[in-house]
Amino acid sequence: MTVYPIKILFFLVLFPVAFFWLRRAWRIGVRRDFSEVALRKGEPPPDAARWAPYELALNLVAGGVLVGVIVSVLMGWLAYQDWVAIAGSTLWMKIFLSFALARHAHGVGLGRGRNGSPPA
């Protein structure tokens, strides 16, 4: 089996990922919609507007890098190992940084007791 179909698949996956990240940046920056800022268990933090600039920058930079990779691959400016390294690093860094931002924005809580009340 050749690796060629996997190369094509990974390249095609960059399109929707870049689109969703740039759309998220658009919603935060232009529409001022903070419902997708620093999500933890599907919920934004109580002060989502405070964390919006960080989420905006993260989505904008990551989406912009992926668009740059897409354009560079289509123009033939990057070899396979180069664009895979850039795109893969961008994907993982975005995931890790979004996770860290969400945890930081929601704060460190002690959790809930068994019956839903705060622990004693």
Side-chain angles (χ1 to χ4, degrees), residues 58-95:
L58 189 57
N59 284 299
L60 197 59
V61 168
V65 168
L66 289 188
V67 168
V69 167
I70 291 169
V71 169
S72 297
V73 169
L74 292 176
M75 300 297 269
W77 295 338
L78 288 175
Y80 173 71
Q81 274 76 18
D82 295 335
W83 72 262
V84 167
I86 295 168
S89 299
T90 303
L91 286 166
W92 282 108
M93 290 304 294
K94 165 66 168 79
I95 290 168

mmCIF file of all heavy atoms in Angstrom, residues 58-95:
data_model
loop_
_atom_site.group_PDB
_atom_site.id
_atom_site.type_symbol
_atom_site.label_atom_id
_atom_site.label_comp_id
_atom_site.label_asym_id
_atom_site.label_seq_id
_atom_site.Cartn_x
_atom_site.Cartn_y
_atom_site.Cartn_z
ATOM 1 N N LEU A 58 -5.594 32.797 19.235
ATOM 2 C CA LEU A 58 -5.251 31.399 19.032
ATOM 3 C C LEU A 58 -5.890 30.843 17.760
ATOM 4 O O LEU A 58 -5.220 30.208 16.932
ATOM 5 C CB LEU A 58 -5.701 30.598 20.254
ATOM 6 C CG LEU A 58 -5.285 29.155 20.372
ATOM 7 C CD1 LEU A 58 -3.772 29.033 20.313
ATOM 8 C CD2 LEU A 58 -5.804 28.587 21.666
ATOM 9 N N ASN A 59 -7.175 31.111 17.575
ATOM 10 C CA ASN A 59 -7.874 30.638 16.374
ATOM 11 C C ASN A 59 -7.388 31.339 15.114
ATOM 12 O O ASN A 59 -7.256 30.712 14.067
ATOM 13 C CB ASN A 59 -9.381 30.824 16.535
ATOM 14 C CG ASN A 59 -9.985 29.799 17.449
ATOM 15 O OD1 ASN A 59 -9.931 28.608 17.182
ATOM 16 N ND2 ASN A 59 -10.544 30.265 18.551
ATOM 17 N N LEU A 60 -7.122 32.622 15.212
ATOM 18 C CA LEU A 60 -6.673 33.379 14.052
ATOM 19 C C LEU A 60 -5.284 32.936 13.591
ATOM 20 O O LEU A 60 -5.057 32.728 12.395
ATOM 21 C CB LEU A 60 -6.685 34.872 14.379
ATOM 22 C CG LEU A 60 -6.629 35.848 13.220
ATOM 23 C CD1 LEU A 60 -7.796 35.628 12.284
ATOM 24 C CD2 LEU A 60 -6.651 37.272 13.758
ATOM 25 N N VAL A 61 -4.375 32.766 14.525
ATOM 26 C CA VAL A 61 -3.019 32.345 14.167
ATOM 27 C C VAL A 61 -3.030 30.919 13.619
ATOM 28 O O VAL A 61 -2.432 30.644 12.568
ATOM 29 C CB VAL A 61 -2.072 32.462 15.386
ATOM 30 C CG1 VAL A 61 -0.752 31.768 15.123
ATOM 31 C CG2 VAL A 61 -1.852 33.924 15.733
ATOM 32 N N ALA A 62 -3.710 30.009 14.301
ATOM 33 C CA ALA A 62 -3.735 28.616 13.858
ATOM 34 C C ALA A 62 -4.423 28.481 12.492
ATOM 35 O O ALA A 62 -3.918 27.786 11.604
ATOM 36 C CB ALA A 62 -4.433 27.746 14.890
ATOM 37 N N GLY A 63 -5.547 29.155 12.309
ATOM 38 C CA GLY A 63 -6.227 29.117 11.010
ATOM 39 C C GLY A 63 -5.401 29.761 9.920
ATOM 40 O O GLY A 63 -5.354 29.262 8.793
ATOM 41 N N GLY A 64 -4.731 30.854 10.241
ATOM 42 C CA GLY A 64 -3.871 31.515 9.262
ATOM 43 C C GLY A 64 -2.688 30.657 8.848
ATOM 44 O O GLY A 64 -2.316 30.617 7.665
ATOM 45 N N VAL A 65 -2.096 29.947 9.811
ATOM 46 C CA VAL A 65 -0.983 29.045 9.483
ATOM 47 C C VAL A 65 -1.463 27.935 8.558
ATOM 48 O O VAL A 65 -0.791 27.595 7.573
ATOM 49 C CB VAL A 65 -0.349 28.477 10.769
ATOM 50 C CG1 VAL A 65 0.598 27.338 10.446
ATOM 51 C CG2 VAL A 65 0.381 29.567 11.525
ATOM 52 N N LEU A 66 -2.634 27.370 8.850
ATOM 53 C CA LEU A 66 -3.143 26.304 7.990
ATOM 54 C C LEU A 66 -3.481 26.812 6.587
ATOM 55 O O LEU A 66 -3.230 26.116 5.602
ATOM 56 C CB LEU A 66 -4.360 25.637 8.621
ATOM 57 C CG LEU A 66 -4.085 24.762 9.834
ATOM 58 C CD1 LEU A 66 -5.339 24.001 10.249
ATOM 59 C CD2 LEU A 66 -2.947 23.808 9.596
ATOM 60 N N VAL A 67 -4.007 28.006 6.483
ATOM 61 C CA VAL A 67 -4.260 28.576 5.156
ATOM 62 C C VAL A 67 -2.938 28.798 4.424
ATOM 63 O O VAL A 67 -2.826 28.529 3.219
ATOM 64 C CB VAL A 67 -5.074 29.893 5.257
ATOM 65 C CG1 VAL A 67 -5.086 30.636 3.939
ATOM 66 C CG2 VAL A 67 -6.492 29.597 5.705
ATOM 67 N N GLY A 68 -1.928 29.253 5.147
ATOM 68 C CA GLY A 68 -0.607 29.410 4.543
ATOM 69 C C GLY A 68 -0.036 28.086 4.061
ATOM 70 O O GLY A 68 0.575 28.007 2.986
ATOM 71 N N VAL A 69 -0.232 27.032 4.835
ATOM 72 C CA VAL A 69 0.228 25.703 4.421
ATOM 73 C C VAL A 69 -0.528 25.246 3.181
ATOM 74 O O VAL A 69 0.070 24.728 2.231
ATOM 75 C CB VAL A 69 0.058 24.687 5.574
ATOM 76 C CG1 VAL A 69 0.232 23.262 5.076
ATOM 77 C CG2 VAL A 69 1.045 24.976 6.685
ATOM 78 N N ILE A 70 -1.842 25.445 3.162
ATOM 79 C CA ILE A 70 -2.651 25.042 2.006
ATOM 80 C C ILE A 70 -2.168 25.756 0.745
ATOM 81 O O ILE A 70 -1.959 25.129 -0.296
ATOM 82 C CB ILE A 70 -4.146 25.319 2.267
ATOM 83 C CG1 ILE A 70 -4.688 24.369 3.337
ATOM 84 C CG2 ILE A 70 -4.955 25.206 0.990
ATOM 85 C CD1 ILE A 70 -6.061 24.729 3.856
ATOM 86 N N VAL A 71 -1.993 27.056 0.842
ATOM 87 C CA VAL A 71 -1.540 27.829 -0.326
ATOM 88 C C VAL A 71 -0.141 27.383 -0.744
ATOM 89 O O VAL A 71 0.130 27.208 -1.943
ATOM 90 C CB VAL A 71 -1.582 29.342 -0.009
ATOM 91 C CG1 VAL A 71 -0.883 30.141 -1.090
ATOM 92 C CG2 VAL A 71 -3.021 29.807 0.154
ATOM 93 N N SER A 72 0.733 27.163 0.209
ATOM 94 C CA SER A 72 2.107 26.758 -0.115
ATOM 95 C C SER A 72 2.151 25.387 -0.779
ATOM 96 O O SER A 72 2.939 25.175 -1.704
ATOM 97 C CB SER A 72 2.959 26.727 1.155
ATOM 98 O OG SER A 72 3.052 28.018 1.707
ATOM 99 N N VAL A 73 1.312 24.484 -0.337
ATOM 100 C CA VAL A 73 1.275 23.159 -0.960
ATOM 101 C C VAL A 73 0.726 23.257 -2.378
ATOM 102 O O VAL A 73 1.260 22.645 -3.312
ATOM 103 C CB VAL A 73 0.438 22.178 -0.108
ATOM 104 C CG1 VAL A 73 0.160 20.889 -0.866
ATOM 105 C CG2 VAL A 73 1.150 21.878 1.193
ATOM 106 N N LEU A 74 -0.339 24.027 -2.550
ATOM 107 C CA LEU A 74 -0.918 24.170 -3.890
ATOM 108 C C LEU A 74 0.031 24.861 -4.863
ATOM 109 O O LEU A 74 0.014 24.561 -6.064
ATOM 110 C CB LEU A 74 -2.243 24.939 -3.807
ATOM 111 C CG LEU A 74 -3.389 24.202 -3.110
ATOM 112 C CD1 LEU A 74 -4.605 25.108 -2.996
ATOM 113 C CD2 LEU A 74 -3.733 22.914 -3.852
ATOM 114 N N MET A 75 0.861 25.743 -4.360
ATOM 115 C CA MET A 75 1.838 26.429 -5.217
ATOM 116 C C MET A 75 3.113 25.611 -5.399
ATOM 117 O O MET A 75 3.966 25.988 -6.191
ATOM 118 C CB MET A 75 2.181 27.806 -4.625
ATOM 119 C CG MET A 75 0.985 28.718 -4.491
ATOM 120 S SD MET A 75 0.251 29.103 -6.053
ATOM 121 C CE MET A 75 1.130 30.564 -6.457
ATOM 122 N N GLY A 76 3.260 24.545 -4.640
ATOM 123 C CA GLY A 76 4.437 23.701 -4.752
ATOM 124 C C GLY A 76 5.660 24.242 -4.035
ATOM 125 O O GLY A 76 6.791 23.877 -4.357
ATOM 126 N N TRP A 77 5.457 25.071 -3.042
ATOM 127 C CA TRP A 77 6.574 25.702 -2.332
ATOM 128 C C TRP A 77 7.102 24.848 -1.182
ATOM 129 O O TRP A 77 8.195 25.102 -0.702
ATOM 130 C CB TRP A 77 6.148 27.059 -1.776
ATOM 131 C CG TRP A 77 5.826 28.064 -2.836
ATOM 132 C CD1 TRP A 77 6.248 28.066 -4.129
ATOM 133 C CD2 TRP A 77 4.997 29.211 -2.687
ATOM 134 N NE1 TRP A 77 5.724 29.143 -4.793
ATOM 135 C CE2 TRP A 77 4.959 29.868 -3.933
ATOM 136 C CE3 TRP A 77 4.289 29.752 -1.620
ATOM 137 C CZ2 TRP A 77 4.249 31.036 -4.132
ATOM 138 C CZ3 TRP A 77 3.571 30.917 -1.835
ATOM 139 C CH2 TRP A 77 3.564 31.544 -3.075
ATOM 140 N N LEU A 78 6.316 23.889 -0.717
ATOM 141 C CA LEU A 78 6.734 23.076 0.423
ATOM 142 C C LEU A 78 6.779 21.599 0.051
ATOM 143 O O LEU A 78 5.887 21.098 -0.635
ATOM 144 C CB LEU A 78 5.765 23.251 1.603
ATOM 145 C CG LEU A 78 5.801 24.564 2.356
ATOM 146 C CD1 LEU A 78 4.692 24.600 3.397
ATOM 147 C CD2 LEU A 78 7.140 24.773 3.015
ATOM 148 N N ALA A 79 7.802 20.921 0.544
ATOM 149 C CA ALA A 79 7.890 19.473 0.390
ATOM 150 C C ALA A 79 6.939 18.814 1.385
ATOM 151 O O ALA A 79 6.485 19.438 2.350
ATOM 152 C CB ALA A 79 9.318 19.010 0.639
ATOM 153 N N TYR A 80 6.673 17.533 1.156
ATOM 154 C CA TYR A 80 5.721 16.806 1.992
ATOM 155 C C TYR A 80 6.104 16.857 3.470
ATOM 156 O O TYR A 80 5.274 17.168 4.317
ATOM 157 C CB TYR A 80 5.605 15.359 1.513
ATOM 158 C CG TYR A 80 4.782 14.497 2.423
ATOM 159 C CD1 TYR A 80 3.404 14.672 2.492
ATOM 160 C CD2 TYR A 80 5.369 13.532 3.232
ATOM 161 C CE1 TYR A 80 2.627 13.892 3.331
ATOM 162 C CE2 TYR A 80 4.604 12.750 4.074
ATOM 163 C CZ TYR A 80 3.236 12.933 4.126
ATOM 164 O OH TYR A 80 2.480 12.172 4.963
ATOM 165 N N GLN A 81 7.350 16.534 3.795
ATOM 166 C CA GLN A 81 7.770 16.512 5.200
ATOM 167 C C GLN A 81 7.640 17.885 5.846
ATOM 168 O O GLN A 81 7.305 17.985 7.026
ATOM 169 C CB GLN A 81 9.221 16.031 5.331
ATOM 170 C CG GLN A 81 9.375 14.537 5.403
ATOM 171 C CD GLN A 81 9.207 13.855 4.049
ATOM 172 O OE1 GLN A 81 9.307 14.512 3.015
ATOM 173 N NE2 GLN A 81 8.949 12.568 4.060
ATOM 174 N N ASP A 82 7.884 18.930 5.095
ATOM 175 C CA ASP A 82 7.804 20.281 5.648
ATOM 176 C C ASP A 82 6.369 20.672 5.985
ATOM 177 O O ASP A 82 6.080 21.144 7.079
ATOM 178 C CB ASP A 82 8.410 21.291 4.670
ATOM 179 C CG ASP A 82 9.894 21.074 4.467
ATOM 180 O OD1 ASP A 82 10.538 20.509 5.373
ATOM 181 O OD2 ASP A 82 10.408 21.468 3.395
ATOM 182 N N TRP A 83 5.453 20.503 5.024
ATOM 183 C CA TRP A 83 4.093 20.948 5.297
ATOM 184 C C TRP A 83 3.388 20.051 6.307
ATOM 185 O O TRP A 83 2.556 20.518 7.082
ATOM 186 C CB TRP A 83 3.273 21.151 4.031
ATOM 187 C CG TRP A 83 2.827 19.950 3.269
ATOM 188 C CD1 TRP A 83 3.418 19.426 2.167
ATOM 189 C CD2 TRP A 83 1.657 19.159 3.509
ATOM 190 N NE1 TRP A 83 2.706 18.339 1.720
ATOM 191 C CE2 TRP A 83 1.618 18.154 2.522
ATOM 192 C CE3 TRP A 83 0.652 19.193 4.463
ATOM 193 C CZ2 TRP A 83 0.609 17.202 2.460
ATOM 194 C CZ3 TRP A 83 -0.356 18.243 4.405
ATOM 195 C CH2 TRP A 83 -0.367 17.260 3.406
ATOM 196 N N VAL A 84 3.729 18.774 6.336
ATOM 197 C CA VAL A 84 3.138 17.900 7.344
ATOM 198 C C VAL A 84 3.634 18.291 8.732
ATOM 199 O O VAL A 84 2.860 18.294 9.700
ATOM 200 C CB VAL A 84 3.456 16.420 7.029
ATOM 201 C CG1 VAL A 84 3.142 15.525 8.210
ATOM 202 C CG2 VAL A 84 2.655 15.973 5.827
ATOM 203 N N ALA A 85 4.909 18.636 8.847
ATOM 204 C CA ALA A 85 5.453 19.061 10.137
ATOM 205 C C ALA A 85 4.804 20.354 10.612
ATOM 206 O O ALA A 85 4.425 20.482 11.784
ATOM 207 C CB ALA A 85 6.966 19.240 10.039
ATOM 208 N N ILE A 86 4.645 21.308 9.715
ATOM 209 C CA ILE A 86 4.032 22.586 10.089
ATOM 210 C C ILE A 86 2.565 22.389 10.462
ATOM 211 O O ILE A 86 2.101 22.868 11.509
ATOM 212 C CB ILE A 86 4.174 23.610 8.945
ATOM 213 C CG1 ILE A 86 5.642 23.943 8.710
ATOM 214 C CG2 ILE A 86 3.375 24.865 9.247
ATOM 215 C CD1 ILE A 86 5.888 24.720 7.427
ATOM 216 N N ALA A 87 1.828 21.687 9.615
ATOM 217 C CA ALA A 87 0.395 21.493 9.872
ATOM 218 C C ALA A 87 0.168 20.645 11.120
ATOM 219 O O ALA A 87 -0.703 20.963 11.946
ATOM 220 C CB ALA A 87 -0.267 20.840 8.662
ATOM 221 N N GLY A 88 0.928 19.586 11.286
ATOM 222 C CA GLY A 88 0.763 18.733 12.458
ATOM 223 C C GLY A 88 1.090 19.462 13.750
ATOM 224 O O GLY A 88 0.369 19.348 14.743
ATOM 225 N N SER A 89 2.173 20.214 13.737
ATOM 226 C CA SER A 89 2.536 20.986 14.931
ATOM 227 C C SER A 89 1.472 22.025 15.252
ATOM 228 O O SER A 89 1.133 22.243 16.420
ATOM 229 C CB SER A 89 3.881 21.680 14.718
ATOM 230 O OG SER A 89 4.896 20.735 14.500
ATOM 231 N N THR A 90 0.939 22.657 14.229
ATOM 232 C CA THR A 90 -0.112 23.657 14.431
ATOM 233 C C THR A 90 -1.369 23.017 15.020
ATOM 234 O O THR A 90 -1.971 23.564 15.956
ATOM 235 C CB THR A 90 -0.448 24.361 13.106
ATOM 236 O OG1 THR A 90 0.737 24.945 12.583
ATOM 237 C CG2 THR A 90 -1.508 25.418 13.302
ATOM 238 N N LEU A 91 -1.769 21.881 14.479
ATOM 239 C CA LEU A 91 -2.952 21.191 14.996
ATOM 240 C C LEU A 91 -2.791 20.829 16.469
ATOM 241 O O LEU A 91 -3.679 21.111 17.285
ATOM 242 C CB LEU A 91 -3.214 19.919 14.188
ATOM 243 C CG LEU A 91 -3.789 20.100 12.792
ATOM 244 C CD1 LEU A 91 -3.662 18.813 12.005
ATOM 245 C CD2 LEU A 91 -5.221 20.542 12.863
ATOM 246 N N TRP A 92 -1.670 20.218 16.820
ATOM 247 C CA TRP A 92 -1.471 19.802 18.200
ATOM 248 C C TRP A 92 -1.332 20.989 19.144
ATOM 249 O O TRP A 92 -1.875 20.967 20.261
ATOM 250 C CB TRP A 92 -0.263 18.878 18.314
ATOM 251 C CG TRP A 92 -0.590 17.495 17.868
ATOM 252 C CD1 TRP A 92 -0.167 16.877 16.723
ATOM 253 C CD2 TRP A 92 -1.453 16.566 18.527
ATOM 254 N NE1 TRP A 92 -0.695 15.612 16.646
ATOM 255 C CE2 TRP A 92 -1.490 15.395 17.740
ATOM 256 C CE3 TRP A 92 -2.188 16.601 19.699
ATOM 257 C CZ2 TRP A 92 -2.238 14.284 18.103
ATOM 258 C CZ3 TRP A 92 -2.933 15.489 20.050
ATOM 259 C CH2 TRP A 92 -2.949 14.345 19.267
ATOM 260 N N MET A 93 -0.613 22.014 18.734
ATOM 261 C CA MET A 93 -0.447 23.189 19.603
ATOM 262 C C MET A 93 -1.792 23.876 19.834
ATOM 263 O O MET A 93 -2.083 24.322 20.950
ATOM 264 C CB MET A 93 0.559 24.165 19.009
ATOM 265 C CG MET A 93 1.985 23.658 19.043
ATOM 266 S SD MET A 93 2.567 23.205 20.684
ATOM 267 C CE MET A 93 2.557 24.782 21.490
ATOM 268 N N LYS A 94 -2.622 23.968 18.814
ATOM 269 C CA LYS A 94 -3.938 24.579 18.962
ATOM 270 C C LYS A 94 -4.782 23.775 19.946
ATOM 271 O O LYS A 94 -5.454 24.331 20.821
ATOM 272 C CB LYS A 94 -4.621 24.667 17.598
ATOM 273 C CG LYS A 94 -6.121 24.946 17.627
ATOM 274 C CD LYS A 94 -6.464 26.310 18.164
ATOM 275 C CE LYS A 94 -7.895 26.674 17.908
ATOM 276 N NZ LYS A 94 -8.861 26.067 18.829
ATOM 277 N N ILE A 95 -4.739 22.459 19.826
ATOM 278 C CA ILE A 95 -5.509 21.617 20.740
ATOM 279 C C ILE A 95 -5.032 21.798 22.171
ATOM 280 O O ILE A 95 -5.829 21.997 23.096
ATOM 281 C CB ILE A 95 -5.427 20.144 20.299
ATOM 282 C CG1 ILE A 95 -6.213 19.950 18.994
ATOM 283 C CG2 ILE A 95 -5.955 19.214 21.384
ATOM 284 C CD1 ILE A 95 -5.979 18.620 18.321
#
